[in-house]
Amino acid sequence: AQKVTQAQTEISVVEKEDVTLDCVYETRDTTYYLFWYKQPPSGELVFLIRRNSFDEQNEISGRYSWNFQKSTSSFNFTITASQVVDSAVYFCALSGIQGAQKLVFGQGTRLTINP
Amino acid sequence: ETGVTQSPTHLIKTRGQQVTLRCSSQSGHNTVSWYQQALGQGPQFIFQYYREEENGRGNFPPRFSGLQFPNYSSELNVNALELDDSALYLCASSLPGTTNYGYTFGSGTRLTVV
């Protein structure tokens, strides 16, 4: 069975601080996708990144960066110089590559950036 | 290109009633998935439709059913509503096999069962 764990339920930081959201996953699949989504108060899930399991290269997109470590089954997300607009619930998710490719989500981390 | 739209945005139903939620997928996407998100939880996979056929189902009872139409829009039907069905229902469309494959989610329908 697949499982995603986001141990941090809530994080609160002051604007301009760096913050890292942790994600640990379990799967028996040898190939899979990992995702991060942002959920603002409006409710929709905003796609941030997809990572293939065979590509362990870390990625940076502006203030966002992702650290994928297959050896520890982790896919952590760092926001550098956080801004108030980053406040949201963030979800890490896992899917297989074959078949229905359903997303298995973690419980989410509520991030609050205080001015 | 248009995104995923869901209707209605909010709904209040009485226990035992039936409800139909609707989703228009992103242009060109042929796969639609439905998720249930209880308050404070991550979304849970209900089922997925690919080219009008159910393509996978999560751990939900048969009173949760769906349809996908030739234009790839979709419906989620829930019969005999229970209080625990109160949740945000999210629809996601996708186009598997593409380089930038990812799911595009709608804003959801918030269902309250009283």
Side-chain angles (χ1 to χ4, degrees):
Chain A
Q2 297 178 324
K3 184 179 179 182
V4 175
T5 302
Q6 295 179 253
Q8 304 149 310
T9 306
E10 293 191 34
I11 299 176
S12 180
V13 300
V14 176
E15 198 172 20
K16 297 184 183 178
E17 285 187 18
D18 298 347
V19 58
T20 295
L21 309 182
D22 297 333
C23 173
V24 175
Y25 63 92
E26 297 174 29
T27 181
R28 294 179 188 172
D29 293 343
T30 54
T31 55
Y32 46 89
Y33 291 126
L34 292 164
F35 300 80
W36 275 95
Y37 282 89
K38 174 182 180 179
Q39 188 175 44
S42 54
E44 82 274 22
L45 287 166
V46 178
F47 171 78
L48 296 178
I49 190 172
R50 182 196 75 175
R51 171 62 69 218
N52 296 335
S53 56
F54 47 83
D55 179 5
E56 291 195 62
Q57 186 174 8
N58 291 329
E59 183 158 339
I60 298 174
S61 176
R63 296 183 297 107
Y64 296 170
S65 62
W66 291 270
N67 183 358
F68 174 36
Q69 295 204 351
K70 204 168 182 178
S71 60
T72 56
S73 298
S74 66
F75 186 43
N76 296 337
F77 173 33
T78 297
I79 302 175
T80 303
S82 60
Q83 300 176 2
V84 173
V85 293
D86 295 327
S87 296
V89 180
Y90 289 85
F91 290 97
C92 179
L94 167 71
S95 81
I97 290 181
Q98 302 298 326
Q101 299 172 10
K102 67 174 185 179
L103 285 167
V104 175
F105 286 86
Q107 295 279 76
T109 297
R110 180 175 298 278
L111 176 64
T112 302
I113 310 298
N114 299 298
Chain B
E1 66 184 14
T2 59
V4 174
T5 56
Q6 294 186 241
S7 62
T9 54
H10 294 82
L11 202 53
I12 299 175
K13 288 286 190 177
T14 303
R15 189 173 51 182
Q17 285 188 316
Q18 178 267 341
V19 68
T20 297
L21 310 182
R22 294 179 174 83
C23 171
S24 294
S25 58
Q26 180 167 318
S27 176
H29 284 188
N30 59 14
T31 302
V32 173
S33 305
W34 286 90
Y35 289 81
Q36 180 196 66
Q37 186 180 14
L39 198 61
Q41 304 293 317
Q44 298 287 318
F45 175 74
I46 303 175
F47 44 56
Q48 182 180 93
Y49 279 82
Y50 171 69
R51 294 185 175 179
E52 303 177 58
E53 297 286 331
E54 188 177 290
N55 188 38
R57 188 177 184 91
N59 189 26
F60 281 81
R63 59 190 185 85
F64 285 78
S65 63
L67 282 173
Q68 186 181 31
F69 300 100
N71 65 355
Y72 303 134
S73 65
S74 176
E75 287 183 355
L76 164 65
N77 299 289
V78 187
N79 294 321
L81 284 166
E82 300 177 359
L83 296 179
D84 285 348
D85 295 335
S86 296
L88 179 68
Y89 288 84
L90 293 163
C91 170
S93 72
S94 57
L95 186 60
T98 56
T99 302
N100 294 320
Y101 166 58
Y103 295 84
T104 302
F105 281 83
S107 296
T109 294
R110 186 162 297 283
L111 173 64
T112 302
V113 182
V114 297

